PDB file of all heavy atoms in Angstrom:
ATOM      1  N   VAL H 294     -30.246  17.920  -7.537  1.00 98.00           N
ATOM      2  CA  VAL H 294     -29.790  17.102  -8.654  1.00 98.00           C
ATOM      3  C   VAL H 294     -28.593  17.863  -9.275  1.00 98.00           C
ATOM      4  O   VAL H 294     -28.772  18.955  -9.794  1.00 98.00           O
ATOM      5  CB  VAL H 294     -30.833  16.827  -9.698  1.00 98.00           C
ATOM      6  CG1 VAL H 294     -30.261  15.955 -10.800  1.00 98.00           C
ATOM      7  CG2 VAL H 294     -32.086  16.183  -9.087  1.00 98.00           C
ATOM      8  N   SER H 295     -27.422  17.287  -9.196  1.00 98.00           N
ATOM      9  CA  SER H 295     -26.262  17.955  -9.768  1.00 98.00           C
ATOM     10  C   SER H 295     -25.962  17.502 -11.184  1.00 98.00           C
ATOM     11  O   SER H 295     -25.759  16.331 -11.415  1.00 98.00           O
ATOM     12  CB  SER H 295     -24.989  17.702  -8.917  1.00 98.00           C
ATOM     13  OG  SER H 295     -23.899  18.367  -9.523  1.00 98.00           O
ATOM     14  N   ASN H 296     -26.058  18.455 -12.118  1.00 97.00           N
ATOM     15  CA  ASN H 296     -25.709  18.200 -13.492  1.00 97.00           C
ATOM     16  C   ASN H 296     -24.266  18.712 -13.756  1.00 97.00           C
ATOM     17  O   ASN H 296     -23.777  18.712 -14.886  1.00 97.00           O
ATOM     18  CB  ASN H 296     -26.721  18.902 -14.421  1.00 97.00           C
ATOM     19  CG  ASN H 296     -26.473  18.612 -15.897  1.00 97.00           C
ATOM     20  OD1 ASN H 296     -26.825  19.426 -16.750  1.00 97.00           O
ATOM     21  ND2 ASN H 296     -25.967  17.459 -16.234  1.00 97.00           N
ATOM     22  N   SER H 297     -23.585  19.143 -12.696  1.00 95.00           N
ATOM     23  CA  SER H 297     -22.215  19.531 -12.800  1.00 95.00           C
ATOM     24  C   SER H 297     -21.366  18.268 -12.819  1.00 95.00           C
ATOM     25  O   SER H 297     -21.765  17.201 -12.356  1.00 95.00           O
ATOM     26  CB  SER H 297     -21.813  20.428 -11.595  1.00 95.00           C
ATOM     27  OG  SER H 297     -20.476  20.774 -11.692  1.00 95.00           O
ATOM     28  N   ASP H 298     -20.173  18.364 -13.378  1.00 94.00           N
ATOM     29  CA  ASP H 298     -19.212  17.222 -13.340  1.00 94.00           C
ATOM     30  C   ASP H 298     -19.142  16.695 -11.922  1.00 94.00           C
ATOM     31  O   ASP H 298     -18.979  17.467 -10.958  1.00 94.00           O
ATOM     32  CB  ASP H 298     -17.847  17.664 -13.841  1.00 94.00           C
ATOM     33  CG  ASP H 298     -16.891  16.529 -13.976  1.00 94.00           C
ATOM     34  OD1 ASP H 298     -16.528  15.926 -12.994  1.00 94.00           O
ATOM     35  OD2 ASP H 298     -16.510  16.220 -15.135  1.00 94.00           O
ATOM     36  N   VAL H 299     -19.295  15.396 -11.735  1.00 93.00           N
ATOM     37  CA  VAL H 299     -19.351  14.834 -10.398  1.00 93.00           C
ATOM     38  C   VAL H 299     -18.076  15.092  -9.582  1.00 93.00           C
ATOM     39  O   VAL H 299     -18.143  15.299  -8.358  1.00 93.00           O
ATOM     40  CB  VAL H 299     -19.728  13.323 -10.436  1.00 93.00           C
ATOM     41  CG1 VAL H 299     -18.559  12.526 -11.032  1.00 93.00           C
ATOM     42  CG2 VAL H 299     -20.119  12.808  -9.082  1.00 93.00           C
ATOM     43  N   TYR H 300     -16.970  15.172 -10.281  1.00 92.00           N
ATOM     44  CA  TYR H 300     -15.688  15.439  -9.575  1.00 92.00           C
ATOM     45  C   TYR H 300     -15.774  16.841  -8.935  1.00 92.00           C
ATOM     46  O   TYR H 300     -15.448  17.028  -7.775  1.00 92.00           O
ATOM     47  CB  TYR H 300     -14.527  15.332 -10.535  1.00 92.00           C
ATOM     48  CG  TYR H 300     -13.168  15.513  -9.877  1.00 92.00           C
ATOM     49  CD1 TYR H 300     -12.448  14.443  -9.432  1.00 92.00           C
ATOM     50  CD2 TYR H 300     -12.656  16.831  -9.652  1.00 92.00           C
ATOM     51  CE1 TYR H 300     -11.182  14.614  -8.796  1.00 92.00           C
ATOM     52  CE2 TYR H 300     -11.417  17.010  -9.028  1.00 92.00           C
ATOM     53  CZ  TYR H 300     -10.722  15.904  -8.643  1.00 92.00           C
ATOM     54  OH  TYR H 300      -9.522  16.054  -7.972  1.00 92.00           O
ATOM     55  N   PHE H 301     -16.198  17.825  -9.730  1.00 93.00           N
ATOM     56  CA  PHE H 301     -16.236  19.205  -9.231  1.00 93.00           C
ATOM     57  C   PHE H 301     -17.371  19.358  -8.193  1.00 93.00           C
ATOM     58  O   PHE H 301     -17.314  20.174  -7.290  1.00 93.00           O
ATOM     59  CB  PHE H 301     -16.477  20.215 -10.359  1.00 93.00           C
ATOM     60  CG  PHE H 301     -15.228  20.470 -11.118  1.00 93.00           C
ATOM     61  CD1 PHE H 301     -15.105  20.089 -12.458  1.00 93.00           C
ATOM     62  CD2 PHE H 301     -14.095  21.037 -10.532  1.00 93.00           C
ATOM     63  CE1 PHE H 301     -13.964  20.340 -13.210  1.00 93.00           C
ATOM     64  CE2 PHE H 301     -12.951  21.266 -11.254  1.00 93.00           C
ATOM     65  CZ  PHE H 301     -12.852  20.894 -12.568  1.00 93.00           C
ATOM     66  N   THR H 302     -18.426  18.546  -8.326  1.00 95.00           N
ATOM     67  CA  THR H 302     -19.503  18.591  -7.332  1.00 95.00           C
ATOM     68  C   THR H 302     -18.948  18.273  -5.930  1.00 95.00           C
ATOM     69  O   THR H 302     -19.221  18.953  -4.980  1.00 95.00           O
ATOM     70  CB  THR H 302     -20.609  17.594  -7.706  1.00 95.00           C
ATOM     71  OG1 THR H 302     -21.164  17.997  -9.008  1.00 95.00           O
ATOM     72  CG2 THR H 302     -21.745  17.637  -6.670  1.00 95.00           C
ATOM     73  N   TYR H 303     -18.164  17.215  -5.880  1.00 93.00           N
ATOM     74  CA  TYR H 303     -17.573  16.817  -4.570  1.00 93.00           C
ATOM     75  C   TYR H 303     -16.488  17.836  -4.161  1.00 93.00           C
ATOM     76  O   TYR H 303     -16.405  18.256  -2.976  1.00 93.00           O
ATOM     77  CB  TYR H 303     -16.949  15.418  -4.649  1.00 93.00           C
ATOM     78  CG  TYR H 303     -17.992  14.361  -4.480  1.00 93.00           C
ATOM     79  CD1 TYR H 303     -18.569  13.721  -5.563  1.00 93.00           C
ATOM     80  CD2 TYR H 303     -18.374  13.943  -3.157  1.00 93.00           C
ATOM     81  CE1 TYR H 303     -19.505  12.719  -5.386  1.00 93.00           C
ATOM     82  CE2 TYR H 303     -19.316  12.958  -2.996  1.00 93.00           C
ATOM     83  CZ  TYR H 303     -19.868  12.330  -4.092  1.00 93.00           C
ATOM     84  OH  TYR H 303     -20.842  11.375  -3.899  1.00 93.00           O
ATOM     85  N   LYS H 304     -15.671  18.236  -5.110  1.00 92.00           N
ATOM     86  CA  LYS H 304     -14.487  19.087  -4.782  1.00 92.00           C
ATOM     87  C   LYS H 304     -14.912  20.447  -4.257  1.00 92.00           C
ATOM     88  O   LYS H 304     -14.347  20.964  -3.307  1.00 92.00           O
ATOM     89  CB  LYS H 304     -13.655  19.219  -6.023  1.00 92.00           C
ATOM     90  CG  LYS H 304     -12.259  19.762  -5.779  1.00 92.00           C
ATOM     91  CD  LYS H 304     -11.338  18.780  -5.129  1.00 92.00           C
ATOM     92  CE  LYS H 304      -9.913  19.291  -5.031  1.00 92.00           C
ATOM     93  NZ  LYS H 304      -9.050  18.334  -4.350  1.00 92.00           N
ATOM     94  N   HIS H 305     -15.953  21.039  -4.891  1.00 92.00           N
ATOM     95  CA  HIS H 305     -16.302  22.400  -4.582  1.00 92.00           C
ATOM     96  C   HIS H 305     -17.645  22.559  -3.834  1.00 92.00           C
ATOM     97  O   HIS H 305     -17.797  23.511  -3.059  1.00 92.00           O
ATOM     98  CB  HIS H 305     -16.372  23.247  -5.866  1.00 92.00           C
ATOM     99  CG  HIS H 305     -15.070  23.250  -6.636  1.00 92.00           C
ATOM    100  ND1 HIS H 305     -13.890  23.709  -6.094  1.00 92.00           N
ATOM    101  CD2 HIS H 305     -14.748  22.826  -7.847  1.00 92.00           C
ATOM    102  CE1 HIS H 305     -12.905  23.618  -6.958  1.00 92.00           C
ATOM    103  NE2 HIS H 305     -13.396  23.098  -8.038  1.00 92.00           N
ATOM    104  N   LEU H 306     -18.574  21.726  -4.109  1.00 95.00           N
ATOM    105  CA  LEU H 306     -19.915  21.886  -3.513  1.00 95.00           C
ATOM    106  C   LEU H 306     -20.141  20.996  -2.264  1.00 95.00           C
ATOM    107  O   LEU H 306     -21.081  21.229  -1.537  1.00 95.00           O
ATOM    108  CB  LEU H 306     -20.994  21.618  -4.572  1.00 95.00           C
ATOM    109  CG  LEU H 306     -20.879  22.379  -5.861  1.00 95.00           C
ATOM    110  CD1 LEU H 306     -22.024  22.043  -6.808  1.00 95.00           C
ATOM    111  CD2 LEU H 306     -20.787  23.858  -5.627  1.00 95.00           C
ATOM    112  N   LEU H 307     -19.350  19.958  -2.165  1.00 94.00           N
ATOM    113  CA  LEU H 307     -19.505  19.029  -1.004  1.00 94.00           C
ATOM    114  C   LEU H 307     -18.177  18.809  -0.348  1.00 94.00           C
ATOM    115  O   LEU H 307     -17.740  17.683  -0.082  1.00 94.00           O
ATOM    116  CB  LEU H 307     -20.045  17.689  -1.528  1.00 94.00           C
ATOM    117  CG  LEU H 307     -21.463  17.653  -2.030  1.00 94.00           C
ATOM    118  CD1 LEU H 307     -21.763  16.346  -2.832  1.00 94.00           C
ATOM    119  CD2 LEU H 307     -22.482  17.797  -0.879  1.00 94.00           C
ATOM    120  N   ALA H 308     -17.498  19.908  -0.049  1.00 88.00           N
ATOM    121  CA  ALA H 308     -16.150  19.828   0.518  1.00 88.00           C
ATOM    122  C   ALA H 308     -16.073  19.142   1.886  1.00 88.00           C
ATOM    123  O   ALA H 308     -15.062  18.614   2.289  1.00 88.00           O
ATOM    124  CB  ALA H 308     -15.554  21.208   0.637  1.00 88.00           C
ATOM    125  N   ASP H 309     -17.269  19.097   2.541  1.00 88.00           N
ATOM    126  CA  ASP H 309     -17.307  18.487   3.888  1.00 88.00           C
ATOM    127  C   ASP H 309     -17.678  17.022   3.808  1.00 88.00           C
ATOM    128  O   ASP H 309     -17.892  16.372   4.823  1.00 88.00           O
ATOM    129  CB  ASP H 309     -18.299  19.210   4.749  1.00 88.00           C
ATOM    130  CG  ASP H 309     -19.704  19.301   4.177  1.00 88.00           C
ATOM    131  OD1 ASP H 309     -19.842  19.047   2.941  1.00 88.00           O
ATOM    132  OD2 ASP H 309     -20.665  19.602   4.915  1.00 88.00           O
ATOM    133  N   VAL H 310     -17.801  16.458   2.565  1.00 88.00           N
ATOM    134  CA  VAL H 310     -18.185  15.066   2.422  1.00 88.00           C
ATOM    135  C   VAL H 310     -16.954  14.325   1.931  1.00 88.00           C
ATOM    136  O   VAL H 310     -16.188  14.791   1.050  1.00 88.00           O
ATOM    137  CB  VAL H 310     -19.297  14.902   1.403  1.00 88.00           C
ATOM    138  CG1 VAL H 310     -19.607  13.418   1.110  1.00 88.00           C
ATOM    139  CG2 VAL H 310     -20.542  15.595   1.887  1.00 88.00           C
ATOM    140  N   SER H 311     -16.702  13.109   2.451  1.00 85.00           N
ATOM    141  CA  SER H 311     -15.544  12.323   2.064  1.00 85.00           C
ATOM    142  C   SER H 311     -15.591  12.063   0.564  1.00 85.00           C
ATOM    143  O   SER H 311     -16.625  11.674   0.012  1.00 85.00           O
ATOM    144  CB  SER H 311     -15.486  11.028   2.900  1.00 85.00           C
ATOM    145  OG  SER H 311     -16.620  10.264   2.664  1.00 85.00           O
ATOM    146  N   PHE H 312     -14.461  12.196  -0.053  1.00 80.00           N
ATOM    147  CA  PHE H 312     -14.327  12.090  -1.510  1.00 80.00           C
ATOM    148  C   PHE H 312     -14.325  10.587  -1.895  1.00 80.00           C
ATOM    149  O   PHE H 312     -13.496   9.818  -1.411  1.00 80.00           O
ATOM    150  CB  PHE H 312     -12.996  12.740  -1.890  1.00 80.00           C
ATOM    151  CG  PHE H 312     -12.857  13.000  -3.382  1.00 80.00           C
ATOM    152  CD1 PHE H 312     -13.436  14.186  -3.909  1.00 80.00           C
ATOM    153  CD2 PHE H 312     -12.130  12.179  -4.185  1.00 80.00           C
ATOM    154  CE1 PHE H 312     -13.276  14.479  -5.271  1.00 80.00           C
ATOM    155  CE2 PHE H 312     -11.970  12.453  -5.519  1.00 80.00           C
ATOM    156  CZ  PHE H 312     -12.543  13.587  -6.036  1.00 80.00           C
ATOM    157  N   PRO H 313     -15.247  10.143  -2.784  1.00 82.00           N
ATOM    158  CA  PRO H 313     -15.277   8.736  -3.190  1.00 82.00           C
ATOM    159  C   PRO H 313     -14.152   8.455  -4.180  1.00 82.00           C
ATOM    160  O   PRO H 313     -14.357   8.298  -5.356  1.00 82.00           O
ATOM    161  CB  PRO H 313     -16.636   8.607  -3.848  1.00 82.00           C
ATOM    162  CG  PRO H 313     -16.963   9.931  -4.328  1.00 82.00           C
ATOM    163  CD  PRO H 313     -16.337  10.920  -3.407  1.00 82.00           C
ATOM    164  N   SER H 314     -12.884   8.388  -3.655  1.00 78.00           N
ATOM    165  CA  SER H 314     -11.699   8.343  -4.504  1.00 78.00           C
ATOM    166  C   SER H 314     -11.661   7.128  -5.446  1.00 78.00           C
ATOM    167  O   SER H 314     -11.158   7.217  -6.553  1.00 78.00           O
ATOM    168  CB  SER H 314     -10.435   8.370  -3.644  1.00 78.00           C
ATOM    169  OG  SER H 314     -10.428   7.332  -2.676  1.00 78.00           O
ATOM    170  N   LYS H 315     -12.185   5.985  -4.986  1.00 74.00           N
ATOM    171  CA  LYS H 315     -12.121   4.799  -5.776  1.00 74.00           C
ATOM    172  C   LYS H 315     -12.903   4.945  -7.108  1.00 74.00           C
ATOM    173  O   LYS H 315     -12.481   4.525  -8.184  1.00 74.00           O
ATOM    174  CB  LYS H 315     -12.713   3.576  -5.072  1.00 74.00           C
ATOM    175  CG  LYS H 315     -12.618   2.261  -5.807  1.00 74.00           C
ATOM    176  CD  LYS H 315     -13.127   1.124  -4.989  1.00 74.00           C
ATOM    177  CE  LYS H 315     -12.997  -0.202  -5.772  1.00 74.00           C
ATOM    178  NZ  LYS H 315     -13.537  -1.347  -4.991  1.00 74.00           N
ATOM    179  N   VAL H 316     -13.959   5.757  -7.018  1.00 73.00           N
ATOM    180  CA  VAL H 316     -14.777   6.030  -8.161  1.00 73.00           C
ATOM    181  C   VAL H 316     -14.192   7.181  -8.977  1.00 73.00           C
ATOM    182  O   VAL H 316     -14.067   7.123 -10.240  1.00 73.00           O
ATOM    183  CB  VAL H 316     -16.239   6.349  -7.743  1.00 73.00           C
ATOM    184  CG1 VAL H 316     -17.066   6.748  -8.963  1.00 73.00           C
ATOM    185  CG2 VAL H 316     -16.872   5.138  -7.081  1.00 73.00           C
ATOM    186  N   LEU H 317     -13.895   8.305  -8.312  1.00 75.00           N
ATOM    187  CA  LEU H 317     -13.545   9.521  -9.024  1.00 75.00           C
ATOM    188  C   LEU H 317     -12.101   9.567  -9.490  1.00 75.00           C
ATOM    189  O   LEU H 317     -11.733  10.433 -10.277  1.00 75.00           O
ATOM    190  CB  LEU H 317     -13.862  10.742  -8.159  1.00 75.00           C
ATOM    191  CG  LEU H 317     -15.337  10.866  -7.789  1.00 75.00           C
ATOM    192  CD1 LEU H 317     -15.548  12.145  -6.956  1.00 75.00           C
ATOM    193  CD2 LEU H 317     -16.222  10.881  -9.026  1.00 75.00           C
ATOM    194  N   ASN H 318     -11.244   8.632  -9.040  1.00 79.00           N
ATOM    195  CA  ASN H 318      -9.891   8.584  -9.481  1.00 79.00           C
ATOM    196  C   ASN H 318      -9.657   7.518 -10.579  1.00 79.00           C
ATOM    197  O   ASN H 318      -8.514   7.191 -10.885  1.00 79.00           O
ATOM    198  CB  ASN H 318      -8.965   8.312  -8.326  1.00 79.00           C
ATOM    199  CG  ASN H 318      -8.811   9.521  -7.413  1.00 79.00           C
ATOM    200  OD1 ASN H 318      -9.021  10.666  -7.851  1.00 79.00           O
ATOM    201  ND2 ASN H 318      -8.509   9.345  -6.154  1.00 79.00           N
ATOM    202  N   GLN H 319     -10.738   7.061 -11.161  1.00 84.00           N
ATOM    203  CA  GLN H 319     -10.645   6.194 -12.333  1.00 84.00           C
ATOM    204  C   GLN H 319      -9.975   6.919 -13.500  1.00 84.00           C
ATOM    205  O   GLN H 319     -10.029   8.138 -13.573  1.00 84.00           O
ATOM    206  CB  GLN H 319     -11.985   5.684 -12.753  1.00 84.00           C
ATOM    207  CG  GLN H 319     -12.663   4.712 -11.732  1.00 84.00           C
ATOM    208  CD  GLN H 319     -11.880   3.451 -11.553  1.00 84.00           C
ATOM    209  OE1 GLN H 319     -11.589   2.758 -12.563  1.00 84.00           O
ATOM    210  NE2 GLN H 319     -11.498   3.167 -10.356  1.00 84.00           N
ATOM    211  N   PRO H 320      -9.339   6.211 -14.410  1.00 87.00           N
ATOM    212  CA  PRO H 320      -8.711   6.866 -15.544  1.00 87.00           C
ATOM    213  C   PRO H 320      -9.691   7.744 -16.299  1.00 87.00           C
ATOM    214  O   PRO H 320     -10.849   7.385 -16.536  1.00 87.00           O
ATOM    215  CB  PRO H 320      -8.232   5.681 -16.467  1.00 87.00           C
ATOM    216  CG  PRO H 320      -8.086   4.582 -15.493  1.00 87.00           C
ATOM    217  CD  PRO H 320      -9.157   4.748 -14.448  1.00 87.00           C
ATOM    218  N   ARG H 321      -9.274   8.955 -16.709  1.00 91.00           N
ATOM    219  CA  ARG H 321     -10.122   9.889 -17.357  1.00 91.00           C
ATOM    220  C   ARG H 321     -10.314   9.582 -18.829  1.00 91.00           C
ATOM    221  O   ARG H 321      -9.458   8.957 -19.459  1.00 91.00           O
ATOM    222  CB  ARG H 321      -9.570  11.322 -17.222  1.00 91.00           C
ATOM    223  CG  ARG H 321      -9.244  11.711 -15.818  1.00 91.00           C
ATOM    224  CD  ARG H 321     -10.406  11.650 -14.864  1.00 91.00           C
ATOM    225  NE  ARG H 321     -11.480  12.560 -15.245  1.00 91.00           N
ATOM    226  CZ  ARG H 321     -12.646  12.618 -14.568  1.00 91.00           C
ATOM    227  NH1 ARG H 321     -12.850  11.842 -13.556  1.00 91.00           N
ATOM    228  NH2 ARG H 321     -13.565  13.498 -15.005  1.00 91.00           N
ATOM    229  N   SER H 322     -11.397  10.038 -19.384  1.00 94.00           N
ATOM    230  CA  SER H 322     -11.632   9.918 -20.825  1.00 94.00           C
ATOM    231  C   SER H 322     -10.758  10.858 -21.623  1.00 94.00           C
ATOM    232  O   SER H 322     -10.066  11.722 -20.974  1.00 94.00           O
ATOM    233  CB  SER H 322     -13.084  10.188 -21.148  1.00 94.00           C
ATOM    234  OG  SER H 322     -13.338  11.604 -21.136  1.00 94.00           O
ATOM    235  N   SER H 323     -10.774  10.752 -22.916  1.00 96.00           N
ATOM    236  CA  SER H 323     -10.058  11.687 -23.740  1.00 96.00           C
ATOM    237  C   SER H 323     -10.722  13.050 -23.761  1.00 96.00           C
ATOM    238  O   SER H 323     -11.849  13.208 -23.302  1.00 96.00           O
ATOM    239  CB  SER H 323      -9.944  11.150 -25.156  1.00 96.00           C
ATOM    240  OG  SER H 323     -11.255  10.972 -25.694  1.00 96.00           O
ATOM    241  N   SER H 324     -10.006  14.043 -24.320  1.00 97.00           N
ATOM    242  CA  SER H 324     -10.521  15.349 -24.494  1.00 97.00           C
ATOM    243  C   SER H 324     -10.484  15.611 -25.981  1.00 97.00           C
ATOM    244  O   SER H 324     -10.558  14.680 -26.801  1.00 97.00           O
ATOM    245  CB  SER H 324      -9.699  16.389 -23.694  1.00 97.00           C
ATOM    246  OG  SER H 324     -10.289  17.668 -23.767  1.00 97.00           O
ATOM    247  N   ALA H 325     -10.391  16.866 -26.335  1.00 98.00           N
ATOM    248  CA  ALA H 325     -10.384  17.215 -27.789  1.00 98.00           C
ATOM    249  C   ALA H 325      -9.708  18.553 -28.052  1.00 98.00           C
ATOM    250  O   ALA H 325      -9.600  19.382 -27.186  1.00 98.00           O
ATOM    251  CB  ALA H 325     -11.828  17.264 -28.311  1.00 98.00           C
ATOM    252  N   LEU H 326      -9.174  18.681 -29.271  1.00 98.00           N
ATOM    253  CA  LEU H 326      -8.797  20.030 -29.807  1.00 98.00           C
ATOM    254  C   LEU H 326      -9.802  20.341 -30.879  1.00 98.00           C
ATOM    255  O   LEU H 326     -10.048  19.570 -31.780  1.00 98.00           O
ATOM    256  CB  LEU H 326      -7.401  19.911 -30.406  1.00 98.00           C
ATOM    257  CG  LEU H 326      -6.261  19.563 -29.474  1.00 98.00           C
ATOM    258  CD1 LEU H 326      -4.916  19.602 -30.194  1.00 98.00           C
ATOM    259  CD2 LEU H 326      -6.164  20.523 -28.263  1.00 98.00           C
ATOM    260  N   LEU H 327     -10.403  21.547 -30.759  1.00 98.00           N
ATOM    261  CA  LEU H 327     -11.467  21.927 -31.665  1.00 98.00           C
ATOM    262  C   LEU H 327     -11.095  23.183 -32.396  1.00 98.00           C
ATOM    263  O   LEU H 327     -10.554  24.141 -31.886  1.00 98.00           O
ATOM    264  CB  LEU H 327     -12.744  22.205 -30.855  1.00 98.00           C
ATOM    265  CG  LEU H 327     -13.305  21.017 -30.091  1.00 98.00           C
ATOM    266  CD1 LEU H 327     -14.461  21.516 -29.133  1.00 98.00           C
ATOM    267  CD2 LEU H 327     -13.817  19.947 -30.994  1.00 98.00           C
ATOM    268  N   PHE H 328     -11.428  23.150 -33.682  1.00 98.00           N
ATOM    269  CA  PHE H 328     -11.211  24.338 -34.576  1.00 98.00           C
ATOM    270  C   PHE H 328     -12.536  24.652 -35.262  1.00 98.00           C
ATOM    271  O   PHE H 328     -13.100  23.780 -35.952  1.00 98.00           O
ATOM    272  CB  PHE H 328     -10.165  24.042 -35.613  1.00 98.00           C
ATOM    273  CG  PHE H 328      -8.795  23.732 -35.043  1.00 98.00           C
ATOM    274  CD1 PHE H 328      -8.473  22.428 -34.620  1.00 98.00           C
ATOM    275  CD2 PHE H 328      -7.815  24.742 -34.904  1.00 98.00           C
ATOM    276  CE1 PHE H 328      -7.271  22.148 -34.059  1.00 98.00           C
ATOM    277  CE2 PHE H 328      -6.601  24.437 -34.346  1.00 98.00           C
ATOM    278  CZ  PHE H 328      -6.287  23.134 -33.925  1.00 98.00           C
ATOM    279  N   TYR H 329     -13.049  25.838 -35.040  1.00 98.00           N
ATOM    280  CA  TYR H 329     -14.268  26.293 -35.718  1.00 98.00           C
ATOM    281  C   TYR H 329     -13.811  27.158 -36.862  1.00 98.00           C
ATOM    282  O   TYR H 329     -13.353  28.281 -36.690  1.00 98.00           O
ATOM    283  CB  TYR H 329     -15.122  27.075 -34.755  1.00 98.00           C
ATOM    284  CG  TYR H 329     -15.483  26.346 -33.481  1.00 98.00           C
ATOM    285  CD1 TYR H 329     -14.710  26.564 -32.334  1.00 98.00           C
ATOM    286  CD2 TYR H 329     -16.523  25.408 -33.386  1.00 98.00           C
ATOM    287  CE1 TYR H 329     -14.975  25.884 -31.153  1.00 98.00           C
ATOM    288  CE2 TYR H 329     -16.823  24.767 -32.222  1.00 98.00           C
ATOM    289  CZ  TYR H 329     -16.005  25.009 -31.073  1.00 98.00           C
ATOM    290  OH  TYR H 329     -16.341  24.333 -29.916  1.00 98.00           O
ATOM    291  N   TRP H 330     -13.962  26.638 -38.098  1.00 98.00           N
ATOM    292  CA  TRP H 330     -13.426  27.362 -39.272  1.00 98.00           C
ATOM    293  C   TRP H 330     -14.568  27.783 -40.199  1.00 98.00           C
ATOM    294  O   TRP H 330     -15.414  26.953 -40.634  1.00 98.00           O
ATOM    295  CB  TRP H 330     -12.479  26.435 -40.103  1.00 98.00           C
ATOM    296  CG  TRP H 330     -11.149  26.231 -39.458  1.00 98.00           C
ATOM    297  CD1 TRP H 330     -10.554  26.937 -38.443  1.00 98.00           C
ATOM    298  CD2 TRP H 330     -10.212  25.208 -39.804  1.00 98.00           C
ATOM    299  NE1 TRP H 330      -9.325  26.437 -38.162  1.00 98.00           N
ATOM    300  CE2 TRP H 330      -9.066  25.378 -38.976  1.00 98.00           C
ATOM    301  CE3 TRP H 330     -10.196  24.167 -40.731  1.00 98.00           C
ATOM    302  CZ2 TRP H 330      -7.954  24.560 -39.068  1.00 98.00           C
ATOM    303  CZ3 TRP H 330      -9.118  23.329 -40.806  1.00 98.00           C
ATOM    304  CH2 TRP H 330      -7.949  23.524 -39.956  1.00 98.00           C
ATOM    305  N   GLY H 331     -14.554  29.048 -40.579  1.00 98.00           N
ATOM    306  CA  GLY H 331     -15.403  29.506 -41.600  1.00 98.00           C
ATOM    307  C   GLY H 331     -14.585  29.391 -42.914  1.00 98.00           C
ATOM    308  O   GLY H 331     -13.501  29.901 -43.047  1.00 98.00           O
TER     309      GLY H 331
END
């Protein structure tokens, strides 16, 4: 059971398996800029 990002699971752990590009090349979600302030 892979709890790693599914993209990296295929890219690094399943390099011998064809990449499901239709699924994994969908537009990515947003990210964030984080500031931890005391």
Side-chain angles (χ1 to χ4, degrees):
V294 181
S295 179
N296 185 209
S297 178
D298 186 293
V299 68
Y300 185 94
F301 284 117
T302 300
Y303 277 97
K304 193 75 173 176
H305 301 300
L306 308 183
L307 291 167
D309 57 344
V310 175
S311 59
F312 195 81
S314 56
K315 184 177 181 180
V316 173
L317 298 183
N318 288 334
Q319 291 297 305
R321 308 302 298 178
S322 78
S323 60
S324 187
L326 298 182
L327 300 172
F328 299 84
Y329 307 95
W330 285 345

